[in-house]
Structure formats: C-alpha cells, structure tokens
Amino acid sequence: MFDYRRFSTTQSAELAETSLKIATFGQLDRIFGMDIGKITNAFGGSLPDGLAANRAHIALPEGWSKVGPAALGLGPEAVDADGYYIIKSPLTGTTYSGPQAQILEERDAAGHVTRVSIAFSGTNSPVDLPDYTQLNSGEIAPNMEPLLAAVRDYTLAHGLTADHVIVTGYSLGAAYTNVMAKYADTLAGGFFADSSYIAHEVPYTYEGQDRVLNIGYENDVVHRAAGSFPSFGEAVAHAPGLMGQDYALGSATDNLILFSDDYASPGWPFGPFALYNIVGGWSAHLAGITSDAIDRITHSAFYDFTARDSLVIVSNLSGAARPVTWVEDLPRPSDTHGHVGDSAFLIGSQYDDRLRGNVGNDYIDAMGGDDTIRPGPGQNRVEGGTGTDTLELNGRPGDWTVSKLSDGTLAFSSPSQGLNIVSGVEKVAFLNGQHYAIGADHLEDQTWSGLLDWRNQDIGFTSALQGTAGNDTLTGSRVFGLAGNDTITGTAQADLLYGGAGRDWLDGRGGNDAIYGGEGNDTLTGGGGVDLLNGGLGDDLFVVNAAQPGRVTVEDFRLSDVEHDMIRIVGSAYHTAAEVLDHAEQTEDGVMIHLGSVNLLVEHMLLSNLSSDMLIVG
C-alpha cells in the first residue's frame, strides 16, 4: 500500500519506514529547549513491557544525522534556539517556533553522503496555528526558497541528485511537504521536482503529478482535514468545522485504521469527528508519533497483497484492553462510506491479540504473542506468526473439512462458513467447546482429559488434488491450485475449487460447487447447481451460465475499494445489461437477478450501486 512512483515495493516500504522516523524525530527533537524525544523514550522505557501499545523510540534511522548551517553555507542566524532552520511565515513572520525544518543526511560506512532529507516540523506551539489557513493556497512556498537553494547546492556538492532527497514531515510538517511538492517545479530552479515526498498524518494534500505519498489514519481527524481544495475557505465550506472528510484522495491512504482503546469504544469519538474534538478526533494523530504500525504493516506476511486504499486495521491496544478487546472492522463516524464487511487486512502486535474478521475476505496476520484469531465467513488467509496461536471456528468439528497443502498451510473448509487458508497456528478451538492441537497429519482432540480422554476424537486431514508453483491443469472434486496461472475444473458432484495466487480459470461444471479464486485476476464460472463464487483479491470475472438451471451466489463482488470485479452472463434470453437489471430486485442478502432458470444473488450489494457497466451480457 506504500508503493511509490518508480520504486520497488521493498524500496517504497523502506521509504515509508525511514521517512516516518525522520518526521517524528523532527517533530519531537527539541521544543522550547526541552529534548522531548529523549523524554518520551525514557518515559516509554520505564513502563512495564506490554502495558503500552508499543515501546516509544524516537530516533533517527541508523546512519542519519543533522546537517548544521555552516555545512550549508548559511550563518548561525538561519537556525533558532532549538536548532531548527527558520522559514518565514507569510502570516507571523519569523516568530520563534513558527515554520521550521531540519536538514539531515545519511552517510555510508566510508563516510560518504548517500541521501539527504528535508524534514518540516509540525505544530509545536500556538504560533503555528494561523499558518493552517494558508496551506491550501500555498503562500509559504516562496519563503522556502533560501533554505532549499542551500540544500540543493549541498546535495550537488556531494555528487547526488534530487533522486537522493527525501522530503517529509508529520502533521503540519506533512502539509508543508505537500506545499513544497506543489511548487517543486519552480522552487530552487526546479531541482527537487524528482525528489521523494512522503508525508505523515497530513492536513492538506497535493494531488498533482503523482508526486506525494500521504500516509495517515482514517480515524485521525487531522489526516486530510483540509483536503485538496485550492483554498482554506473552500475546505471549510465543504466540511464546516473541518469535520472528518472521508472521501477518496489518490495520494493518500484512505482506509488505514490505528485500532486503539478509545476507537474500540462504542462511544468513540465522544462527540463530532471534527478538528475541534481534541479528546476523540486527535487520539490516533498523537499515538501515530510513537506507534510502530507502519513497520508492522510493511513486514506483514500479506503486505504484497495490499494496495494504496486497502482496508488495513492495525492493533494499537494497551495491555489492559488487549485481553478483552477484539481488533476488527467497526462502524465508526470516521468511515462515512461504510467499509464494514469489506475485505480487510488485520495486523496484530508482538503481544497477545484477539483478531476477528468480518463477512468479507480477510487477511489476518497476528504477528508475535499468543493470539486468538477468529475469521469470519468468506475466503480468508491467516498467519499466526510467533507464539502459540489459537484459531477459533464457528460450529462443530463435523462442520469442517481440513486438508494439509504442500506449501505447509492448512485449508479449513465449511459449506456454511467458507474457506480459511491457515499457517503459523498451533491450536484450533470450535465455538461448541471442543479444542484441538495441530499435528503433522491430523488435529489431535484435547477436549477431554484423564478418565474421559476416551471421548476424544481426532480429525484426520482430507486428501486433495494440489497444483505446483507453475501453471497447472487440474480436474477433481477437491482441488487447490496454489501458485501459478491454473486451469481448474470440477466434476458433476459437489466440488471445492481453490485457485490460490495467480490468474486462474475455475469452472465447477455440474453439482453444488464452492469456487474460490484466491489472489489474482481470476475467472470463475458457475451454473448447473447451487454454486458459490468467491473471487478473492484481484479484479475477477464471474461467469454465470444461465442455460443451466440452479442458483449462483457471488459472495464478494467488489468488497474492496481497490477491486473492479465484473459479472458476465451467458446463455440467457437477455441481450443487454439494462435488460438484466430490469429483472433484478433488492433483497436482504443483496441483489437477486432472475435469469430464467437461474437466480443470481450478488451478496452485500445494493441495487442502486449495481450499474450496467459492471455487467457483460453474452
């Protein structure tokens, strides 16, 4: 989700991690003579392990240090008493603690400068508040010129280019990052046009030229508060009081949630989700300074499956809340478009978390600790991580079939609950009270002990036809394609087909089939029975054969802001998408489309949201 411009996923993740460390250091280095960063670290280090969401560690990344004014060819008057470079405000002038920046450099083992960073500071005194009103219109940009010209010359003197410059900041500093990006074609002769602009918890966003990556939390009212409007007045007119603006911005993360104690409360945010609500609206903004959430996201087992606007929920609970609180997707005022039930990524911590999926296709990475993981219905992936983790499943053991796959994962399937692909988990508990340990070739029943252990009934793994890492052609009743671009067909019986990663083609043929695409842009064909189609992640094509009687349920049609699934209807008496929609009705479960001898249910869909451009006929 942090992929940025020309950089690889690995390089982009490093930029996200490094820029946040630089930005938070610049935010908390010194304020009014006090070393706030060291004070924060000392306080965090004094707390018992696990009491806080994570240990605070405000510090520059290894190899980075400050660049003083003399090295930039500037006089001592260029910095204030706290060592920040002074940028003149168009509103308050050069008042102490007004607009500020730090200039930093990275050196290799040989002492050569390898990268340079411009880190704008965020709000650290009331003097900064008036400058929020000029962010959208960018009046401060020309006042950055003297400092930027010096940084340009310093960068060139060390044999580097604009590609080696990271521009970043937190909060107000993130907004200045966007302002600089907006005018980068002219500032300092346009030198910084190709620099990297990574901003954190940003009030104002610049949407032009795909130049900025704005990382922030949906439940932080500061993030995107002023939007991308050309003036502060227009931003206020769009949302009086600058109440949370939950709309799509191309440069920003739109659905990233820092799941904290207060967010878990049904009363959150304890008033309007607005900029003036310091108690509720600002909690994620303040917690984000010390949280390690960005590092956990980039190191998640499922990070490669995320996109800029994926729904990602990161545990940030205290030690008191962790044992009694589920980390899950919740209906909250910060989410005005309603993503509850969408496909989500849930990320745990190094401690003992409780992680619960919803009706969408969820990816749950518990990470460290002894975790309890309860996936919801649908097609889910689970990674337990380190520790002794327990998978909780609805129903009884007899409701589920378990197969061990060649890649070491376990596949738990149920006609009513869906499919869970699981790894890194040591125990399984069913909500009827039975619990098992995971053995090499079976689930070992540990429900009873002592004189009653004769009642235990182990569950053997069910065999399945499996693919390879390549492109496979497979036919069977229980088939797992795994990696590669696979062609998988079922039988005339009830089949379970799973494509896995890759661009797969799956056809259940006759019988009552459950067909799961996995990751990738898959084609799933149903008809001729009571079939369930679930494409998983990717832009999937659901093909419904109306010439074969039965019922087809599409379980996950566009359950994500980043997916663009399509439905193709063949063998029907209809010739256009408009004709198909004329035979659709809204039901409690979704949109039901009557196709003659076949009924198609598009679950979780509103008829008002199902448009003709989502349908292909013929």
Side-chain angles (χ1 to χ4, degrees):
M1 70 184 305
F2 304 135
D3 279 2
Y4 176 68
R5 299 180 81 179
R6 63 192 178 279
F7 297 100
S8 68
T9 293
T10 300
Q11 292 170 326
S12 297
E14 188 275 336
L15 273 174
E17 297 165 10
T18 296
S19 62
L20 179 60
K21 291 175 183 177
I22 290 173
T24 54
F25 177 84
Q27 180 69 22
L28 296 181
D29 184 20
R30 298 184 69 83
I31 301 177
F32 292 103
M34 296 184 293
D35 195 329
I36 301 299
K38 287 185 178 179
I39 294 171
T40 301
N41 291 344
F43 176 75
S46 69
L47 299 176
D49 188 38
L51 180 63
N54 53 261
R55 288 199 177 278
H57 185 66
I58 306 299
L60 286 173
E62 184 177 355
W64 286 84
S65 60
K66 299 179 187 178
V67 179
L72 295 180
L74 301 174
E77 70 283 355
V79 299
D80 60 22
D82 291 324
Y84 291 95
Y85 287 90
I86 301 167
I87 299 172
K88 185 178 179 180
S89 165
L91 300 176
T92 60
T94 55
T95 306
Y96 174 61
S97 77
Q100 301 162 307
Q102 286 192 347
I103 309 303
L104 305 118
E105 64 182 12
E106 178 189 50
R107 290 182 180 263
D108 61 18
H112 301 126
V113 178
T114 53
R115 286 189 292 185
V116 174
S117 179
I118 301 166
F120 293 104
S121 300
T123 306
N124 53 26
S125 86
V127 174
D128 287 315
L129 299 181
D131 284 309
Y132 276 87
T133 64
Q134 53 81 34
L135 294 174
N136 297 67
S137 45
E139 284 90 348
I140 197 172
N143 296 350
M144 298 176 177
E145 181 73 31
L147 178 60
L148 297 185
V151 175
R152 174 200 60 200
D153 295 344
Y154 184 79
T155 303
L156 290 170
H158 285 273
L160 305 178
T161 68
D163 285 340
H164 301 95
V165 178
I166 302 172
V167 185
T168 190
Y170 194 93
S171 190
L172 177 59
Y176 288 147
T177 299
N178 279 261
V179 171
M180 179 178 166
K182 182 177 182 179
Y183 298 97
D185 290 325
T186 57
L187 288 171
F191 175 77
F192 297 102
D194 292 326
S195 294
S196 298
Y197 294 84
I198 316 291
H200 297 270
E201 307 306 318
V202 56
Y204 160 70
T205 68
Y206 170 59
E207 292 291 282
Q209 303 182 56
D210 192 30
R211 185 168 280 169
V212 192
L213 170 59
N214 288 302
I215 301 172
Y217 303 108
E218 175 187 283
N219 54 318
D220 172 10
V221 74
V222 177
H223 181 53
R224 314 177 336 155
S228 58
F229 297 97
S231 72
F232 183 76
E234 290 176 79
V236 173
H238 179 82
L242 287 183
M243 301 180 75
Q245 302 190 46
D246 185 33
Y247 58 91
L249 287 170
S251 71
T253 55
D254 292 338
N255 302 303
L256 175 57
I257 296 168
L258 193 64
F259 196 99
S260 55
D261 295 25
D262 63 329
Y263 184 82
S265 168
W268 184 87
F270 318 109
F273 186 60
L275 206 60
Y276 55 77
N277 182 0
I278 304 297
V279 175
W282 286 67
S283 58
H285 191 73
L286 300 175
I289 298 176
T290 58
S291 175
D292 64 349
I294 301 302
D295 280 1
R296 280 186 278 146
I297 292 170
T298 58
H299 289 90
S300 165
F302 305 122
Y303 178 66
D304 286 347
F305 298 143
T306 63
R308 178 73 55 86
D309 291 332
S310 292
L311 173 56
V312 180
I313 303 166
V314 189
S315 174
N316 205 60
L317 295 170
S318 69
R322 249 179 256 119
V324 296
T325 306
W326 288 104
V327 177
E328 59 185 328
D329 193 11
L330 295 171
R332 292 292 183 261
S334 56
D335 170 32
T336 58
H337 79 279
H339 52 53
V340 174
D342 290 2
S343 297
F345 293 84
L346 279 72
I347 299 176
S349 68
Q350 62 179 308
Y351 304 112
D352 303 345
D353 296 301
R354 292 160 60 84
L355 301 141
R356 180 163 61 188
N358 211 307
V359 296
N361 301 327
D362 299 317
Y363 287 72
I364 305 175
D365 187 348
M367 304 205 121
D370 300 337
D371 306 301
T372 302
I373 305 162
R374 187 183 295 179
Q379 179 182 178
N380 306 300
R381 292 279 301 271
V382 172
E383 172 58 53
T386 58
T388 302
D389 304 305
T390 301
L391 178 73
E392 288 192 350
L393 298 174
N394 283 306
R396 303 168 302 163
D399 299 331
W400 295 84
T401 303
V402 187
S403 295
K404 187 171 185 178
L405 306 183
S406 58
D407 61 3
T409 59
L410 297 179
F412 293 79
S413 60
S414 163
S416 62
Q417 295 297 319
L419 177 67
N420 298 306
I421 305 297
V422 179
S423 61
V425 168
E426 289 70 37
K427 298 180 179 181
V428 180
F430 295 90
L431 296 189
N432 74 334
Q434 292 178 264
H435 53 92
Y436 295 76
I438 296 177
D441 58 0
H442 69 284
L443 301 183
E444 182 178 342
D445 195 344
Q446 297 184 332
T447 305
W448 305 96
S449 60
L451 295 177
L452 295 177
D453 63 1
W454 60 270
R455 299 186 61 181
N456 289 331
Q457 294 184 333
D458 296 345
I459 300 175
F461 295 151
T462 301
S463 62
L465 180 63
Q466 300 181 42
T468 67
N471 303 330
D472 303 303
T473 299
L474 306 166
T475 299
S477 184
R478 188 174 178 86
V479 184
F480 294 86
L482 303 180
N485 302 327
D486 304 314
T487 300
I488 302 174
T489 54
T491 68
Q493 308 304 314
D495 304 319
L496 171 69
L497 310 179
Y498 172 72
R503 185 187 294 268
D504 304 309
W505 184 89
L506 306 100
D507 188 345
R509 301 292 170 89
N512 302 334
D513 305 313
I515 305 175
Y516 299 93
E519 298 79 35
N521 301 335
D522 306 310
T523 299
L524 294 78
T525 300
V530 179
D531 296 334
L532 182 143
L533 309 182
N534 186 313
L537 281 182
D539 299 334
D540 302 309
L541 176 63
F542 300 98
V543 180
V544 180
N545 189 345
Q548 299 184 18
R551 173 183 168 123
V552 176
T553 298
V554 174
E555 191 174 43
D556 70 323
F557 188 71
R558 300 196 178 194
L559 281 188
S560 169
D561 281 357
V562 301
E563 293 179 288
H564 299 88
D565 301 328
M566 298 288 291
I567 295 173
R568 182 179 181 183
I569 298 169
V570 299
S572 78
Y574 310 131
H575 302 287
T576 67
E579 286 184 81
V580 170
L581 291 176
D582 284 341
H583 294 81
E585 63 173 326
Q586 186 70 58
T587 71
E588 184 179 348
D589 297 323
V591 174
M592 181 71 78
I593 304 176
H594 303 285
L595 300 170
S597 60
V598 172
N599 287 325
L600 167 62
L601 174 63
V602 185
E603 281 195 340
H604 319 297
M605 174 61 66
L606 295 176
L607 185 55
S608 58
N609 292 337
L610 186 62
S611 58
S612 59
D613 61 355
M614 300 177 184
L615 304 174
I616 303 169
V617 179

